[in-house]
């Protein structure tokens, strides 16, 4: 199955190169090459029945054909005219003169395409296949035929024939070398899934169109099982090899910390803390993802984890994605840890912590990526906390972990990760969820408005400022470093200053230096600025409880999960909060999308919707690498299969 396609009869160097273009290198690749679509060649429309604008298949005999060259031979039009007895169909190809050599008068041809006009009936650039007799013709006609993606010079018919013959020849191999068998039938409630080899045959040559989905599901399950097995093996290997310093602590710092907080941990916070303690007490390094909406209190829980490590005589690093956040964590942790006599340091691009000696008493270092570069070394790392992990990506995470010499790792994210993704991408992390907010939070309501409503929105914001509150205005950022964007946001800044005068407006964007940013933020925190205009920089982590209004401009440019995170900046204090999404998006889809945010504040629901609308790449961030490329499985639709795969693999002996 892993043999190269050249071991098949009829595949020489030229065909090999063409197949390679399609990502087909081995026999297995060929057998798992998913058809792009199917054509039911048992039933045809008459040419006279084809409707303008609707894709349809017909067949007919070539009654005329010809190639016209014009503009001194630089342009061409090739045309064939088909007749099936009911009507004639003109098929045209522009500037593809070589099409001429594929057709001859009286050929029978299948065509698939859309009529662009009725008089005469015409299709431009349809897909075609000349019908030939011969012993294999039953593969191509009078059945549901698979249509594959092609590349220059590779005929549909040839690829279909090759696939058919290879299926015949490798039937037995397929049975033996498919994924290790497992009993899928007992797991499928409603449908009996075919065997792996049955599904491979079915995906290429289904008896009925409904077979295609059944076969796809079976092959998707096989992919998910293989992937889960891979994760499991990786975890097992990690567990066998990696040792960590047990960091359960003895409570001598934790006790006064919790007593001094001024609030009690919520039930989910307590539960998660127990999970973390159980992990960190062991000799295996913790690998845990902590999920919770913005403001659900992840940082406090992480601080408890940090104290356990410090109580155990180890150092702790907390890495944030931006300098602002690193500084905010630094301020927070200082406030919390100073009274306990625990040293807190900051390490960013613009600020360096002093050299740390292994012999010194334990220290908590907050910082940016600079923590792991620029020669900084954390001796005796007990715990590494990574905040807002989706900005780093899996590959980077692995890199940190390796460098960190197997400390315990806690990853915090406010991006609710839909379960399908959680079970696949984070399969090598244990997951904890804080799924309830601390009590005493004000309500948060969200409204979608158009720019025509802006005067009213401004009035509303002024009203809230008059009552002592503060507001964010968020300006969409496509590229925070672009000159054009800087100009646009600066113009909006001047505009807002006029609108909100005499109230004060501050500006925060990616071009400011770390110091300038911190200056603006601390002025806003101290309520010296009433309104803060910001690019989506503030998306992560900023905490100003008195800010209760957020207006987001051009909201349609953001993803739902991102908008949800943004609005998590408000609703943090006791006052009622309001998020106004301003958008002139006209399409019903765009409006429907934003409405989801009006309707729910459940981050998981929003993430699932986002996943459906935009796909996993967008949700996890562009830099996300290590995404498995499932050929048949869908991360948006196959949650049940992903679960089943996990259950199957869990039940297997290693
Ligand atoms: P996250 O990191 O999940 O966004 P934080 O840990 O920053 O959330 O918490 C948000 C705010 O809520 C902080 O001001 C924090 O002190 C406060 N907080 C955290 N846990 C509780 C709790 N159990 N009760 C009341 N307030 C809490
Ligand atoms: Mg946070």
């Amino acid at each position: 199955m892993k043999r190269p396609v050249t071991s098949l009869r009829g595949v020489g160097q030229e065909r090999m190169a063409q197949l390679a273009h399609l990502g087909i290198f081995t026999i297995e690749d060929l057998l798992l090459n998913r058809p792009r679509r199917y054509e039911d060649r048992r039933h045809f429309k008459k040419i006279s029945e084809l409707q303008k604008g609707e894709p349809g298949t017909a067949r007919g005999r070539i009654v005329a054909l010809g190639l016209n060259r014009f503009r001194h031979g630089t342009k061409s039009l090739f045309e064939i005219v088909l007749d099936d007895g009911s009507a004639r169909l003109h098929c045209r190809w522009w500037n593809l003169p070589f099409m001429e050599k594929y057709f001859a008068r009286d050929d029978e041809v299948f065509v698939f395409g859309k009529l662009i006009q009725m008089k005469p009936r015409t299709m431009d650039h349809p897909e075609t296949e000349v019908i030939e007799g011969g012993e294999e013709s039953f593969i191509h006609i009078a059945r549901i035929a698979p249509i594959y993606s092609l590349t220059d010079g590779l005929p549909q018919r040839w690829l279909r024939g090759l696939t058919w013959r290879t299926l015949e020849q490798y039937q037995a191999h397929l049975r033996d070398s498919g994924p290790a068998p497992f009993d899928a039938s007992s797991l499928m409630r409603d449908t009996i899934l075919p065997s792996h080899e049955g599904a491979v045959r079915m995906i290429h040559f289904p008896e009925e169109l409904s077979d295609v989905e059944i076969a796809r599901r079976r092959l998707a399950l096989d992919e998910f099982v293989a992937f889960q097995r891979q994760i499991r093996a990786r975890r097992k290997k990690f567990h066998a090899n990696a040792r960590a310093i047990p960091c359960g602590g003895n409570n001598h710092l934790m006790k006064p910390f919790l007593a001094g907080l001024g609030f009690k941990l919520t039930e989910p916070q307590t539960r998660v803390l127990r999970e973390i303690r159980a992990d960190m007490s062991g000799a295996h390094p913790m690998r845990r993802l902590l999920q919770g909406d913005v403001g659900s209190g992840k940082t406090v829980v992480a601080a408890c984890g940090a104290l356990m490590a410090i109580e155990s005589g180890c150092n702790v690093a907390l890495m944030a994605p931006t300098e602002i956040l690193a500084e905010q964590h630094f301020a927070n942790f200082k406030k919390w840890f100073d009274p306990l006599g625990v040293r807190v340091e900051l390490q960013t691009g613009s600020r360096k912590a002093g050299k740390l000696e292994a012999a010194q008493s334990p220290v908590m270092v907050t910082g940016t990526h600079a923590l792991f570069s620029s020669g900084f070394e954390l001796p005796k790392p007990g715990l590494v906390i990574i905040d807002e992990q989706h900005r780093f990506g899996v590959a980077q995470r692995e890199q940190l972990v390796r460098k960190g010499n197997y400390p315990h790792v806690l990853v915090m994210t406010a991006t609710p990760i839909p379960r399908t993704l959680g079970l696949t991408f984070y399969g090598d992390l244990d997951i904890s969820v804080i799924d309830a907010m601390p009590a005493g939070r004000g309500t948060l309501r969200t409204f979608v408005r158009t720019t025509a409503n802006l005067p009213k929105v401004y009035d509303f914001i002024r009203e809230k400022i008059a009552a002592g509150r503060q507001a964010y205005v968020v300006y969409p950022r496509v590229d925070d470093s672009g000159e054009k964007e800087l100009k646009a946001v600066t113009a909006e800044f001047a505009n807002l200053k006029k609108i909100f005068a005499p109230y004060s407006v501050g500006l925060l964007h990616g071009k400011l230096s770390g110091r300038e940013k911190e200056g603006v933020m601390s002025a806003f925190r101290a309520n010296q600025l009433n309104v803060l205009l910001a690019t989506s920089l503030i998306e992560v982590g900023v905490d100003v409880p008195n800010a209760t209004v957020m207006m987001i401009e051009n909201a349609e440019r953001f993803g739902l999960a991102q908008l949800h995170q943004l609005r998590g900046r408000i609703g943090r204090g006791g006052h009622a909060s309001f998020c106004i999404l301003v958008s002139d998006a006209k399409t019903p889809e765009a409006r429907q999308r934003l409405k989801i945010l009006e309707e729910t504040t459940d981050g998981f629901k929003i993430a699932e919707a986002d996943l459906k609308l935009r796909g996993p790449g967008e949700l996890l961030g562009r830099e996300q690498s290590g995404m498995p490329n499932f050929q048949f499985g869908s991360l948006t639709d196959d949650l049940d299969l992903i679960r089943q795969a996990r259950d199957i693999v869990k039940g297997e002996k290693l």
Side-chain angles (χ1 to χ4, degrees), residues 298-299 329 387-388 541 572:
K298 296 182 293 296
T299 315
H329 278 307
D387 190 10
E388 310 292 358
R572 303 181 72 111

Side-chain angles (χ1 to χ4, degrees), residues 67-302:
L67 176 69
N68 271 319
R69 291 186 188 270
F70 44 96
R71 295 240 184 113
H72 311 292
T74 59
K75 305 272 174 192
S76 72
L77 174 62
F78 174 67
E79 185 166 356
I80 63 178
V81 181
L82 298 178
D83 194 327
D84 70 349
S86 76
R88 286 188 169 194
L89 174 62
H90 293 246
C91 302
R92 307 189 298 186
W93 288 267
W94 300 87
N95 304 320
L96 296 172
F98 59 84
M99 290 300 288
E100 188 182 28
K101 62 177 194 245
Y102 297 130
F103 300 98
R105 213 186 151 84
D106 285 336
D107 277 354
E108 280 278 334
V109 179
F110 290 120
V111 299
F112 172 78
K114 259 191 245 178
L115 283 189
I116 55 158
Q117 62 182 40
M118 297 293 280
K119 276 183 196 158
R121 290 183 174 80
T122 304
M123 288 183 182
D124 274 350
H125 295 248
E127 291 178 29
T128 56
E129 194 178 316
V130 175
I131 304 170
E132 288 167 29
E135 52 182 291
E136 267 186 2
S137 61
F138 68 94
I139 310 170
H140 309 287
I141 357 183
R143 70 172 315 129
I144 297 170
I147 309 289
Y148 302 98
S149 296
L150 295 177
T151 186
D152 274 351
L154 190 69
Q156 191 63 253
R157 189 187 160 83
W158 181 84
L159 183 54
R160 190 181 302 123
L162 180 73
T163 305
W164 172 272
R165 288 188 301 275
T166 310
L167 269 172
E168 295 286 289
Q169 190 184 341
Y170 280 83
Q171 178 90 359
H173 288 77
L174 205 49
R175 196 167 308 136
D176 302 336
S177 64
F182 51 84
D183 184 12
S185 57
S186 64
L187 288 154
M188 308 307 292
R189 259 152 259 128
D190 305 322
T191 39
I192 306 277
L193 285 189
S195 64
H196 178 75
E197 73 268 20
V200 173
R201 179 173 282 275
M202 240 162 124
I203 203 84
H204 293 288
F205 295 99
E207 297 285 324
E208 294 300 330
L209 282 173
S210 55
D211 287 352
V212 172
E213 174 60 6
I214 295 171
R216 183 200 70 81
R217 280 174 61 81
R218 167 65 209 219
L219 297 175
L221 182 64
D222 292 340
E223 280 179 339
F224 292 137
V225 165
F227 187 66
Q228 295 283 342
R229 281 180 179 150
Q230 209 181 312
I231 290 173
R232 195 160 177 232
R234 207 161 61 212
R235 273 187 83 127
K236 191 190 164 204
K237 198 168 147 217
F238 182 69
H239 254 267
N241 298 327
R243 288 276 170 277
I245 305 171
C247 283
N250 59 11
N251 267 330
H252 80 270
L253 296 169
M254 180 92 82
K255 249 205 186 120
F257 173 68
L258 290 176
L261 266 182
F263 51 77
K264 266 188 64 183
L265 294 187
T266 60
E267 191 275 321
Q269 281 175 316
T270 310
R271 171 172 32 92
V272 170
L273 190 53
R274 247 199 324 269
E275 291 164 349
I276 291 174
R277 187 192 291 279
D279 284 359
M280 286 179 60
S281 308
H284 292 300
M286 169 169 79
R287 289 291 175 270
R288 188 167 284 279
L289 177 71
L290 173 52
Q291 271 182 268
D293 261 342
V294 172
S296 60
K298 296 182 293 296
T299 315
V300 178
V301 171

